[in-house]
Amino acid sequence: MSEYSVIGQRIPKLDAREKVTGRCKYAGDMRMEGMLYGKLVRCWDYAHAEVVKIDFSEARKVPGVVKCLGPKDVTRKNYNTTIMKLLVPAVFSDVFGEIADLNIFNARVKHQGDVVCGIIAKTEKAAERAAEKVKIEYKPLPVIMTAEESKKKNAIQFTPLKPGNLAANFPDSFFPNNEYGWNAEDGKTVHQKFKDADLVVEDTFYVPRQKQVQMENHAYVALYDDRGRLNCWTSTQMPKLVQNLIGELFELPLTRVRLVQTPIGGGFGCRLGMIAEPHACAMAMAVPGIPVKIEYLREEDWVASESRASGHFYVKAGFKKDGTPVACYGDYQVLKGGYYTHGSGPPFCTAAFMHGMYKWQAMGCKADIWFNNMVPFGAYRGYGNPENTFGVEQLVDRACNKLGIDPIGWRKKWAKGIGDESWLKGVNFVSSGLDDCVKEAKKKIGWDKKKKQYANQKGVKRRGVGIGIMQHTSGAWPMLLEHSNVIMRLNEDCTVEIMASVSDLGTGAHTAVTQMAAEALGWPIDDVHLKCCDSDVNGFDIGAHASRTIYCVGRAVMQTAADLKKQLLERAAQNLQLKLEDVEFAEDKEIVCTWDSSKRINCRTIAEQSIYSFDDPATGKTIGIPGQMVAHYSDFVKHCSPPFAACCAEVEVDIETGEVKVLCLSNAHDIGKAIHPPSVEGQLEGGAHQGLGYILSEDIYYDDKGLCLNNDFTDYKMFGASDMPAENYVTLVESAPDDIGPFGAKSCGESALMGPIGSVANAIYDAIGIQITDAPVTPERVLAAIKKNGGVK
Amino acid sequence: MKKRAITLFINGDEYNITVDADETLTQVIRNQLNLTDLKHCCGRGECGACTVQVEDDRYPTGKKIINSCLSLAAMMDGKRIYTVGGLEKGGTLHPVQEAFVEQGAVQCGFCSGGMIMKTVDILENNAKAGEAEIREGLEGNICRCTGYTKIVEAAKQAGKVMAAGK
Amino acid sequence: MSNSRILPEFELLAPKTMSEAVDMAARYGDRATVLAGGTDVIIMLEKNAVKPEYVIALGEIPDLDYITYSKADGLTIGALATAYQLVQDKKVKKKYPALWQAAASLGSPQIRNAATIVGNILRASPSGDCCCAMLALGGSVVLESTSGRREVSIDDFFIDYGKIERREDEIAVELKLPPVEDASTSAFLRMTRMTFDLSKVSAAVSLQMSGKKCKAVRMAMGAVAPTAIRIKKAETMLEGVTITEKLLSDVAATVSRQVKPIDDVRSTADYRREVSGVLAKRVIKAACNV
């Protein structure tokens, strides 16, 4: 019998029924009286150009066109899509040189798909037809795609605010030698420490520009209403922060900006911060009183909403003969894309996740982030960790192979654990379920048996098994502000309205948060209701990112519930004329006296009387204790409990064609406590899908003019239902509950993406004896590597 | 013709409408008829979000599955079309919808309508479809959230219910 | 570059008979596009890759979806016969496995329910699976115009990238594949990035065998040249000899030398060259069931 009655239950997700019936309304499904349609006119033919002239004359003639908007018709204020500057102290944002370098309509196109102007029309069709008729004259500028071109002395500059096109690095003032890491106990730097190693392995890895590919195209409705309020319906992951950014951009107080979060048709980081909210709002302000809708096309997504960072990641690792990890160094040369957004964030986290994984005697990682004419990188599930995993996990296996050490044993021995510093300095692991994760992952895949079976293979199809481990994060403290507000309002029927700005990207967060609230109150789940998604209702919350919702919001929920329960006890004590310490909760919302169970009152009575508090006409005395009960907690989480995971993969490599088939994945995750198990499993199974894409099939490709070659499903290839390994095991390891996480829970949102990367790379290595250093590991790359190697092992 | 007067029967309801020749079935259902249970995503027949069943007596079930984004509405005159919005009968979910809810096969939900219609079609053709047949059948419907595991599980569960119901 | 979910404006023509259709084709010529299943044409419209004034939709012409087989005439596939219908046809599966396999791997279930085999041939994509299979099987495309019908051998049909032996006033009405002898066999194989995908290299072969000896052969490859192509050098090597592992290795090497692939987003020229030999070898083995 579980100690819990609501959490851990496999209840249907609260939003499942509206989604299976098609009744769930996404932003693109919204219809409003008199609604107009906005179309963003993008530059499709150039990745880098100056806009010389915009001619609306033909577009205006299209029947149904209401307005054509050019740069002069909207605010010229610069902005940045990201919320970073709101989440770090000013000093830190100064250090990283956060800049606003984007306009609603841009006079200089810095990547294909940059927005140049806009059309508002009565129908979608009229808007699209008119957009095609806008004549824009461009002056092409030199296209810069690589870091080498970007850093050249005479290279065209992206912004005067960042001379030399270096968007960001780790500034020396905070990070000596521009590196994040630690020196050895003997005082040696990571560079000096390599001299103490018996074996040094190194390589430069190409890490791909993966796209989130959430299924819902970005869509927005905005209305500048008659009260002078700017309303925006959007599926942003961060409604409160976007409200703030919109207020700042349009110079409106927050009382006049309303953000309504529509159901999120997938996010994966893509909807972190703003995408086209500024455009929708600018259009709405151009037609006061009338709602305007903008809906992206699928092909716009790849060129005009942020991707994962890509670039070249050099990793070097030194070991003693017995396997002792001596030093690890990384140098990440990153391609920023055309704008600063998220500048240093993901590459810094690449260094941070390298920092949190293994017990090197010394470790350091640097990153230089160069402007170029690609779509800007932003946030994507994993946020820097896939790069780290792809490089480091492969070098660990290479070293183990050379030293004759078992790669699983090595990881168990040298992975960081309780008490060690995790991804960020000052954040020590308080729990670790890694050993159990390794045990479970190994067991489900049948590691020992397969390892033996595949020891001596011949023939065209070679199989192999590999392991990859990872740690991630639960929220982003202390890198970022972790602030959530939860309000619980007790209704007269003793049910609770929870007001919190919780973002559910399809992850089940609304269900899990509701479960936690019910559990914390000790009441049935039907007695609590989560009211979210409207900035007019909810207090501050930083939104969904960094796998934080269960961990951070969950803690806030528990604090708020504790407050509400305390208030109930206080009223019960007052009502029963007892001391606070003399009353306690019993079954069925009863509060009873600890030493006389006949003295009791039900919370329903307290709740009802709190609202319908009458004065007894006979006695003149007030019945019950008046005043609706509200609990509020403004929680700043001052910790982070990173989860671990271990993943084993089995692959089959066709050595004549280089094709890799993943036969089995077994991912075991250190969840601490699964609040809503089907959702946790869903995160792990879906994370595996994206991890497999990263390692085997996904990248955005550009031609030499910087134009995207695969902004469609025809050529951006993701694993389909029959491509996924039929055996995709996930194990929820609950043997290491976290003392700080709510009910022991740690995060699971992002982490499942990493395991498949390291494990599949290493399984390929096991199968053919060759490591592929460029991701995605396509058959083309595998076959070229086999040829270069002169065959397989 | 630039416009055509047509009759569509969507989930049993008759719609007599005039459509532009250049409009796809997706556009007409979503924009003209306001039936937004049908989703638009790629517009190129690759993601399956706009999947519907259309009557076709050459098929054993009398219905076939198509991408509504690749059909001209003007060429669908008189056709019976089925979308996810019509599966629930008298407040009772279709076994496939029920299974999607129970198995946790729905995450963001944007692909769900098309995915459910596809699953219904697979199982109407063969309620005893095995895992491989289900997975092959699901090709052409993209889900970015679930890794397909729970969708396949839901299809298996629904298949059992549908097989027993026959 | 496309930037619209709206199809370009066009006038829709929905002929009820083939003679109406060819009249329209004669009248509008290159101002018209012919639409059958729609799975290629609507995408091209959506991408603005074609901007016709008229779309001649064949969908309302009755009885064009036939698939017939006779020992004397072989296989005939009507202009509206879909990939689904072909895949359901047991005779096709047994007698023309290469075409059956190509049709079975075409797109997704939804696509196969709409896409026509004739349309796939007319699209003439270098990676068109049915193009490759039909080239290996041989046969002809029947084109109709106001001046009557003509048959174009599949060997002469694909001229260059996107160019086919069809005049603007002609509409393809059917495909004809020659009857197959009992000792003949065929196969189709393709390589893709994912299951639901376009071929990055494909290969098809039809063989007439006498024991292990090859009496006659046609071999074709896709996505290794501007159109699907015959690999005649390989055919010469195979014809009249016993198929051995050594021979297959030589064939593979020859194929790799003969193809002229390019680099594109789906693969590289080097890779395609390398694996086209592998695929050629494997498709022969698959056809011979060894």
Side-chain angles (χ1 to χ4, degrees):
Chain A
M1 185 68 190
S2 163
E3 58 185 307
Y4 300 117
S5 57
V6 189
I7 65 161
Q9 298 294 313
R10 303 183 73 91
I11 59 169
K13 271 174 46 177
L14 300 177
D15 56 357
R17 194 175 175 110
E18 67 214 39
K19 286 177 174 173
V20 299
T21 55
R23 288 194 281 264
C24 178
K25 298 276 183 215
Y26 299 84
D29 300 330
M30 287 179 66
R31 308 284 184 264
M32 284 185 182
E33 194 71 38
M35 188 169 83
L36 299 175
Y37 295 82
K39 174 74 183 174
L40 302 181
V41 181
R42 300 181 185 280
C43 175
W44 287 94
D45 297 331
Y46 301 99
H48 204 181
E50 264 172 36
V51 178
V52 178
K53 197 177 155 199
I54 302 173
D55 177 1
F56 287 124
S57 56
E58 289 302 311
R60 284 206 181 93
K61 291 180 193 160
V62 174
V65 168
V66 174
K67 268 194 176 167
C68 299
L69 302 176
K72 285 180 209 139
D73 306 313
V74 297
T75 176
R76 295 296 292 152
K77 221 172 155 184
N78 288 321
Y79 69 96
N80 186 326
T81 59
T82 183
I83 37 60
M84 283 299 189
K85 66 166 185 173
L86 299 176
L87 298 186
V88 295
V91 55
F92 216 65
S93 127
D94 290 347
V95 166
F96 279 106
E98 289 264 342
I99 55 164
D101 56 350
L102 190 61
N103 278 121
I104 290 177
F105 298 133
N106 292 284
R108 177 174 161 197
V109 169
K110 291 184 186 171
H111 62 84
Q112 185 191 26
D114 224 347
V115 189
V116 178
C117 57
I119 303 286
I120 305 174
K122 285 184 179 162
T123 62
E124 186 182 52
K125 212 166 177 175
E128 300 247 0
R129 294 248 193 273
E132 282 173 12
K133 294 210 154 73
V134 179
K135 287 195 199 104
I136 304 170
E137 199 181 306
Y138 295 101
K139 181 184 156 209
L141 298 172
V143 173
I144 291 179
M145 295 306 280
T146 63
E148 290 66 35
E149 294 166 294
S150 184
K151 67 176 83 160
K152 271 187 191 157
K153 268 204 179 124
N154 57 353
I156 187 166
Q157 297 294 293
F158 277 72
T159 161
L161 299 169
K162 292 287 180 181
N165 286 339
L166 183 65
N169 64 356
F170 305 164
D172 205 44
S173 54
F174 255 67
F175 304 95
N177 208 20
N178 304 110
E179 291 163 10
Y180 180 64
W182 66 84
N183 289 341
E185 277 177 12
D186 59 13
K188 287 183 185 167
T189 67
V190 65
H191 303 279
Q192 293 163 339
K193 204 65 197 165
F194 277 106
K195 295 196 183 77
D196 296 348
D198 299 319
L199 170 73
V200 174
V201 289
E202 62 190 322
D203 230 320
T204 300
F205 299 86
Y206 169 73
V207 290
R209 214 165 189 82
Q210 191 181 23
K211 194 77 188 83
Q212 300 88 346
V213 200
Q214 75 300 327
M215 291 308 288
E216 179 207 5
N217 293 334
H218 303 305
Y220 313 86
V221 178
L223 168 66
Y224 189 50
D225 70 22
D226 292 333
R227 296 184 179 196
R229 300 188 83 213
L230 185 54
N231 301 264
C232 183
W233 288 261
T234 162
S235 57
T236 178
Q237 297 174 217
M238 300 184 148
K240 294 299 284 189
L241 297 178
V242 171
Q243 181 198 20
N244 183 314
L245 293 176
I246 291 289
E248 191 189 308
L249 180 59
F250 293 98
E251 298 177 43
L252 292 170
L254 294 185
T255 48
R256 285 178 57 197
V257 181
R258 180 185 177 205
L259 251 281
V260 184
Q261 188 186 49
T262 51
I264 303 174
F268 317 117
C270 193
R271 283 156 173 166
L272 212 146
M274 299 193 291
I275 306 172
E277 286 88 349
H279 305 82
C281 289
M283 286 185 167
M285 292 187 84
V287 287
I290 309 172
V292 181
K293 177 165 138 187
I294 295 178
E295 197 175 354
Y296 272 36
L297 305 174
R298 179 45 50 178
E299 56 266 32
E300 289 180 276
D301 193 51
W302 278 274
V303 299
S305 72
E306 295 159 8
S307 68
R308 194 187 291 293
S310 65
H312 285 91
F313 187 33
Y314 167 78
V315 190
K316 180 178 173 185
F319 301 80
K320 287 283 186 197
K321 275 194 188 108
D322 64 358
T324 304
V326 177
C328 184
Y329 175 71
D331 178 344
Y332 190 7
Q333 297 296 307
V334 196
L335 300 170
K336 179 71 249 344
Y339 294 100
Y340 184 83
T341 174
H342 282 266
S344 56
F348 173 73
C349 289
T350 300
F353 292 120
M354 185 187 250
H355 186 279
M357 196 66 249
Y358 294 116
K359 295 174 182 170
W360 310 100
Q361 290 170 359
M363 175 262 154
C365 184
K366 67 170 287 198
D368 299 319
I369 300 136
W370 303 97
F371 280 117
N372 78 341
N373 294 117
M374 291 176 171
V375 65
F377 73 67
Y380 183 0
R381 193 181 201 177
Y383 208 76
N385 208 351
E387 295 95 309
N388 161 57
T389 308
F390 184 61
V392 175
E393 288 301 290
Q394 290 208 75
L395 287 189
V396 164
D397 265 37
R398 191 186 297 182
C400 286
N401 192 24
K402 284 181 192 274
L403 296 169
I405 293 171
D406 167 36
I408 290 188
W410 188 92
R411 284 177 171 83
K412 282 171 76 172
K413 185 166 179 190
W414 296 110
K416 287 184 172 182
I418 295 170
D420 295 325
E421 212 164 47
S422 73
W423 69 308
L424 289 175
K425 292 190 185 302
V427 183
N428 292 356
F429 290 104
V430 292
S431 61
S432 167
L434 180 63
D435 281 355
D436 285 339
C437 288
V438 170
K439 198 170 101 188
E440 289 297 326
K442 251 184 90 173
K443 191 168 86 188
K444 284 233 171 85
I445 205 167
W447 177 277
D448 294 329
K449 190 177 151 213
K450 283 177 180 162
K451 198 83 188 152
K452 260 185 220 151
Q453 206 179 328
Y454 303 152
N456 295 299
Q457 297 177 80
K458 289 194 176 64
V460 172
K461 307 271 174 97
R462 303 288 174 90
R463 291 186 176 189
V465 288
I467 186 168
I469 64 170
M470 71 106 234
Q471 40 60 67
H472 201 66
T473 183
S474 302
W477 184 86
M479 179 178 160
L480 302 180
L481 178 80
E482 279 298 349
H483 183 194
S484 297
N485 282 266
V486 174
I487 297 169
M488 291 188 182
R489 193 174 60 198
L490 192 67
N491 294 323
E492 54 268 48
D493 66 347
C494 202
T495 61
V496 171
E497 290 288 345
I498 307 165
M499 282 162 284
S501 189
V502 182
S503 298
D504 187 329
L505 287 65
T507 51
H510 286 168
T511 304
V513 165
T514 306
Q515 281 179 289
M516 286 192 286
E519 186 71 54
L521 289 165
W523 296 353
I525 193 161
D526 288 343
D527 285 2
V528 296
H529 169 244
L530 178 64
K531 192 171 177 58
C532 47
C533 313
D534 189 338
S535 68
D536 274 4
V537 173
N538 296 313
F540 183 83
D541 190 286
I542 71 164
H545 85 128
S547 304
R548 70 178 292 272
T549 303
I550 302 308
Y551 184 80
C552 299
V553 180
R555 284 173 48 90
V557 161
M558 290 181 76
Q559 305 274 16
T560 318
D563 180 13
L564 187 64
K565 285 169 81 173
K566 183 163 166 268
Q567 290 185 41
L568 281 163
L569 288 175
E570 280 166 356
R571 290 207 185 187
Q574 201 181 334
N575 203 304
L576 299 169
Q577 294 175 322
L578 293 163
K579 286 184 195 147
L580 182 59
E581 57 266 32
D582 290 337
V583 287
E584 64 183 10
F585 280 93
E587 293 292 295
D588 191 28
K589 297 189 179 178
E590 289 278 300
I591 295 175
V592 297
C593 172
T594 51
W595 41 268
D596 178 358
S597 64
S598 72
K599 292 179 193 290
R600 55 174 56 228
I601 185 168
N602 196 284
C603 292
R604 291 183 192 89
T605 310
I606 299 173
E608 193 188 341
Q609 291 175 346
S610 75
I611 288 169
Y612 296 104
S613 175
F614 298 102
D615 295 333
D616 187 329
T619 64
K621 278 172 79 178
T622 300
I623 302 165
I625 299 156
Q628 183 166 16
M629 293 170 68
V630 178
H632 167 227
Y633 200 83
S634 177
D635 192 35
F636 292 82
V637 177
K638 297 288 186 185
H639 199 79
C640 169
S641 306
F644 288 88
C647 185
C648 292
E650 179 189 10
V651 303
E652 182 176 270
V653 183
D654 184 323
I655 62 170
E656 285 185 343
T657 64
E659 291 173 300
V660 176
K661 189 171 172 54
V662 182
L663 303 171
C664 179
L665 265 187
S666 169
N667 197 359
H669 183 79
D670 174 23
I671 189 69
K673 174 69 191 172
I675 305 296
H676 185 243
S679 290
V680 179
E681 291 158 9
Q683 288 304 296
L684 303 185
E685 290 154 359
H689 172 260
Q690 297 182 10
L692 289 173
Y694 186 91
I695 178 79
L696 292 173
S697 73
E698 297 180 32
D699 194 3
I700 306 180
Y701 298 109
Y702 296 90
D703 68 12
D704 53 8
K705 292 185 185 123
L707 304 182
C708 183
L709 291 167
N710 60 338
N711 58 329
D712 54 26
F713 294 124
T714 316
D715 288 313
Y716 188 92
K717 298 314 285 187
M718 303 179 291
F719 274 58
S722 55
D723 302 309
M724 285 298 291
E727 294 178 277
N728 182 10
Y729 302 119
V730 300
T731 310
L732 313 186
V733 172
E734 294 187 312
S735 58
D738 192 81
D739 287 344
I740 294 159
F743 304 102
K746 290 171 265 189
S747 78
C748 65
E750 296 171 272
S751 29
L753 199 147
M754 267 62 75
I757 297 172
S759 60
V760 169
N762 286 333
I764 294 169
Y765 182 41
D766 186 50
I768 62 174
I770 303 167
Q771 290 187 324
I772 316 294
T773 54
D774 291 355
V777 180
T778 58
E780 286 77 5
R781 286 174 171 151
V782 173
L783 201 62
I786 292 174
K787 280 186 91 174
K788 193 175 160 207
N789 192 57
V792 298
K793 70 171 182 185
Chain B
M1 69 195 102
K2 292 260 178 188
K3 286 180 186 292
R4 197 177 204 189
I6 60 166
T7 302
L8 296 178
F9 298 88
I10 299 176
N11 303 322
D13 295 334
E14 182 175 339
Y15 297 89
N16 294 298
I17 50 174
T18 301
V19 299
D20 288 353
D22 53 44
E23 282 188 328
T24 64
L25 185 59
T26 313
Q27 285 163 351
V28 166
I29 291 178
R30 279 181 60 79
N31 301 344
Q32 197 166 342
L33 304 180
N34 247 329
L35 304 174
T36 57
D37 60 299
L38 179 81
K39 301 301 179 211
H40 176 277
C41 175
C42 76
R44 295 180 186 170
E46 296 185 295
C47 73
C50 69
T51 300
V52 297
Q53 283 183 314
V54 180
E55 66 164 342
D56 189 329
D57 54 19
R58 296 171 300 175
Y59 285 67
T61 58
K63 288 182 275 184
K64 69 177 172 189
I65 206 95
I66 61 161
N67 295 305
S68 60
C69 69
L70 295 187
S71 310
L72 290 183
M75 296 298 289
M76 303 297 282
D77 186 24
K79 290 273 194 270
R80 293 187 175 275
I81 293 158
Y82 303 91
T83 73
V84 76
L87 285 180
E88 188 189 27
K89 301 279 184 240
T92 305
L93 295 181
H94 185 282
V96 172
Q97 290 174 311
E98 190 69 46
F100 269 61
V101 171
E102 280 180 17
Q103 291 291 335
V106 179
Q107 285 193 31
C108 86
F110 201 81
C111 77
S112 300
M115 197 66 85
I116 286 168
M117 289 312 290
K118 176 60 95 49
T119 308
V120 166
D121 194 70
I122 295 168
L123 299 174
E124 282 180 350
N125 278 287
N126 179 14
K128 290 179 177 161
E131 172 139 351
E133 195 181 327
I134 290 167
R135 284 181 182 271
E136 279 165 30
L138 291 175
E139 285 295 346
N141 288 69
I142 298 175
C143 169
R144 189 59 160 168
C145 295
T146 63
Y148 302 96
T149 310
K150 295 204 185 305
I151 293 173
V152 173
E153 290 308 313
K156 286 188 202 162
Q157 176 187 322
K160 278 182 199 149
V161 175
M162 287 166 73
K166 268 185 184 165
Chain C
M1 195 81 195
S2 164
N3 188 18
S4 173
R5 87 185 74 228
I6 307 296
L7 307 186
E9 226 173 319
F10 55 78
E11 186 140 333
L12 181 66
L13 305 171
K16 304 281 188 229
T17 64
M18 190 47 86
S19 82
E20 264 181 63
V22 294
D23 279 347
M24 290 166 178
R27 198 172 319 136
Y28 300 118
D30 67 352
R31 294 155 68 198
T33 293
V34 179
L35 179 134
T39 55
D40 277 324
V41 171
I42 290 182
I43 294 168
M44 283 156 72
L45 288 167
E46 200 259 3
K47 289 182 171 180
N48 276 335
V50 289
K51 274 198 154 184
E53 286 171 57
Y54 300 92
V55 169
I56 306 172
L58 305 182
E60 291 173 6
I61 302 177
D63 305 324
L64 260 188
D65 63 345
Y66 53 88
I67 297 173
T68 59
Y69 178 78
S70 77
K71 260 202 160 157
D73 299 330
L75 184 68
T76 313
I77 303 168
L80 290 181
T82 61
Y84 168 84
Q85 284 173 270
L86 195 95
V87 172
Q88 292 304 307
D89 195 303
K90 292 202 172 71
K91 279 233 166 64
V92 175
K93 188 176 184 181
K94 191 166 164 240
K95 295 189 177 287
Y96 302 89
L99 186 64
W100 186 89
Q101 287 151 6
S105 59
L106 193 83
S108 64
Q110 292 98 310
I111 297 290
R112 290 194 289 277
N113 284 342
T116 63
I117 302 296
V118 172
N120 196 243
I121 300 292
L122 261 74
R123 173 77 173 80
S125 163
S127 61
D129 293 335
C130 294
C131 300
C132 177
M134 187 158 168
L135 209 47
L137 291 163
S140 58
V141 182
V142 180
L143 300 165
E144 187 169 326
S145 67
T146 48
S147 46
R149 288 190 173 199
R150 68 173 176 132
E151 255 183 61
V152 180
S153 161
I154 195 70
D155 290 331
D156 305 324
F157 192 69
F158 305 120
I159 300 169
D160 201 347
Y161 181 77
K163 262 183 90 177
I164 50 172
E165 180 54 47
R166 180 183 77 93
R167 294 195 312 265
E168 286 151 4
D169 66 334
E170 288 178 316
I171 290 178
V173 287
E174 64 185 26
L175 303 175
K176 284 183 163 180
L177 281 79
V180 289
E181 291 179 21
D182 287 347
S184 63
T185 168
S186 70
F188 168 83
L189 277 182
R190 62 180 207 153
M191 292 185 61
T192 55
R193 296 158 297 184
M194 290 292 153
T195 301
F196 174 27
D197 201 353
L198 300 168
S199 295
K200 61 183 178 187
V201 188
S202 60
V205 68
S206 72
L207 293 157
Q208 275 187 55
M209 301 293 290
S210 167
K212 281 202 163 179
K213 207 166 167 183
C214 167
K215 279 164 60 191
V217 59
R218 286 175 66 100
M219 182 162 198
M221 302 223 46
V224 291
T227 68
I229 52 165
R230 290 268 298 277
I231 311 285
K232 293 196 176 159
K233 276 193 182 152
E235 293 174 2
T236 315
M237 291 171 76
L238 288 159
E239 221 150 50
V241 295
T242 302
I243 295 177
T244 60
E245 278 292 334
K246 169 76 175 65
L247 177 66
L248 289 179
S249 298
D250 294 345
V251 166
T254 302
V255 167
S256 288
R257 277 196 303 273
Q258 211 194 328
V259 296
K260 290 186 176 57
I262 55 163
D263 285 330
D264 65 14
V265 69
R266 279 163 221 156
S267 189
T268 64
D270 281 349
Y271 181 79
R272 285 178 161 127
R273 202 174 297 116
E274 180 87 18
V275 299
S276 51
V278 176
L279 209 60
K281 184 174 75 179
R282 290 185 183 177
V283 80
I284 296 167
K285 284 187 173 182
C288 302
N289 209 6
V290 291

